[in-house]
Amino acid sequence: MSESFSDYIVYVDESGDHGLNSIDPSYPVFVLVFCIFHKRDYVQTVVPLIQEFKLKHFGHDQVILHETDIRRDRGSFAFLKSKQHKSDFLNELTDLVQKAPFTLISSVIDKQAYRQRHLTVENPYHIGLRFGLERIFYHLRQQPTLTHIVVEQRGKVEDNELELEFRRICAGENYLHRPLPFELVFADKKSNSAGLQLADLIARPIGLHILKPEQSNRAFDIIENKFYRNSRGNKHGFGLKRYP
């Protein structure tokens, strides 16, 4: 490994849309998740876990594990219309996430509350990105070398806006008022990336937990101990940032 690169890599995905004009009352939040992997753990544990899972259930490893498709029994996941098959599949997938070694940071934007409090609004994705990068820096502050932040492509205009905002934040427009040693990497939507798929699987359970904390949510229970925490063991405001 080049000495100019850090020992970590970060994969990012979202749940919900970042629009503020028409807010879905059933899911009025925008969730951005950052899964931080030590590269050794990623190569030796995470990727093999996901490959083994795919080969067992599909016979090949080209299926993209996408939370929405799994939830709706769509495409390659049509076989999950059987209640027993779905239960077994989800239990194994939950166990996989539990075994995967990573640290989790998530920004959750309450879009309705944000719009009500601010006359001038900012793109929720950009807000969540800033919160996330600041906390990743705190978590990896002993890593002065370059850490790559991998996001999924969303469209030319959105990607250009995101890259501009990313550069602004890393240039010093952040809470710390200092440069951040991060570089943005765009991945194709069809990219068969283990890290992006894992991030996709855990984003919605976080949003559901915020909206309905009293509701049973096994997926959230599994990832709860993966959140980045402060020295007192508190995840709120650290690994889990809610805004406003």
Side-chain angles (χ1 to χ4, degrees):
M1 187 187 299
S2 170
E3 291 182 2
S4 62
F5 300 142
S6 86
D7 295 329
Y8 294 84
I9 187 164
V10 183
Y11 292 91
V12 184
D13 209 345
E14 74 262 22
S15 174
D17 67 85
H18 59 264
L20 290 168
N21 293 326
S22 178
I23 299 175
D24 180 358
S26 68
Y27 199 78
V29 293
F30 177 76
V31 181
L32 199 60
V33 298
F34 304 81
C35 293
I36 306 167
F37 299 92
H38 191 286
K39 289 175 179 175
R40 180 189 59 243
D41 291 336
Y42 185 72
V43 171
Q44 295 180 1
T45 303
V46 177
V47 172
L49 274 173
I50 289 180
Q51 297 295 86
E52 185 179 0
F53 179 84
K54 289 181 180 182
L55 292 173
K56 175 182 177 180
H57 288 280
F58 305 100
H60 61 87
D61 62 356
Q62 295 307 299
V63 172
I64 307 296
L65 298 175
H66 193 247
E67 188 274 338
T68 305
D69 292 338
I70 294 171
R71 181 160 39 91
R72 297 178 179 174
D73 311 328
R74 198 164 58 187
S76 298
F77 306 95
F79 72 95
L80 297 179
K81 287 183 171 66
S82 158
K83 192 172 182 180
Q84 188 59 53
H85 283 157
K86 187 155 193 171
S87 176
D88 293 343
F89 183 88
L90 291 178
N91 284 338
E92 282 191 47
L93 196 56
T94 303
D95 289 343
L96 183 158
V97 174
Q98 186 174 31
K99 291 176 184 174
F102 64 95
T103 299
L104 175 60
I105 290 173
S106 180
S107 306
V108 182
I109 313 300
D110 181 330
K111 296 192 292 182
Q112 194 70 52
Y114 172 65
R115 192 173 65 177
Q116 288 171 352
R117 290 192 188 188
H118 297 271
L119 292 174
T120 304
V121 293
E122 188 182 352
N123 185 328
Y125 194 115
H126 297 171
I127 299 169
L129 180 69
R130 185 168 62 251
F131 289 145
L133 294 180
E134 289 166 355
R135 283 152 182 78
I136 293 168
F137 178 79
Y138 273 119
H139 178 51
L140 302 181
R141 55 188 176 274
Q142 65 274 54
Q143 294 278 321
T145 45
L146 191 66
T147 300
H148 292 91
I149 313 290
V150 184
V151 303
E152 196 175 70
Q153 291 175 336
R154 295 178 300 149
K156 189 173 182 180
V157 173
E158 288 179 315
D159 290 350
N160 288 340
E161 288 178 353
L162 176 58
E163 184 164 20
L164 182 61
E165 186 63 23
F166 184 92
R167 290 182 183 279
R168 280 193 192 123
I169 295 167
C170 291
E173 289 190 25
N174 54 66
Y175 182 77
L176 307 163
H177 302 295
R178 61 176 293 173
L180 306 180
F182 302 140
E183 184 172 303
L184 188 64
V185 178
F186 285 100
D188 188 280
K189 270 191 170 294
K190 295 180 181 178
S191 169
N192 198 345
S193 161
L196 284 177
Q197 289 169 79
L198 202 55
D200 173 84
L201 291 172
I202 65 177
R204 184 175 172 85
I206 295 172
L208 292 175
H209 171 76
I210 294 298
L211 292 171
K212 300 176 181 178
E214 72 291 339
Q215 186 172 292
S216 176
N217 187 336
R218 188 182 172 214
F220 182 84
D221 293 341
I222 291 298
I223 61 173
E224 207 271 340
N225 67 346
K226 296 182 183 290
F227 282 103
Y228 167 54
R229 296 168 189 269
N230 68 358
S231 58
R232 297 180 180 178
N234 187 12
K235 70 176 181 291
H236 293 289
F238 295 89
L240 180 58
K241 171 64 176 178
R242 296 177 62 174
Y243 186 78

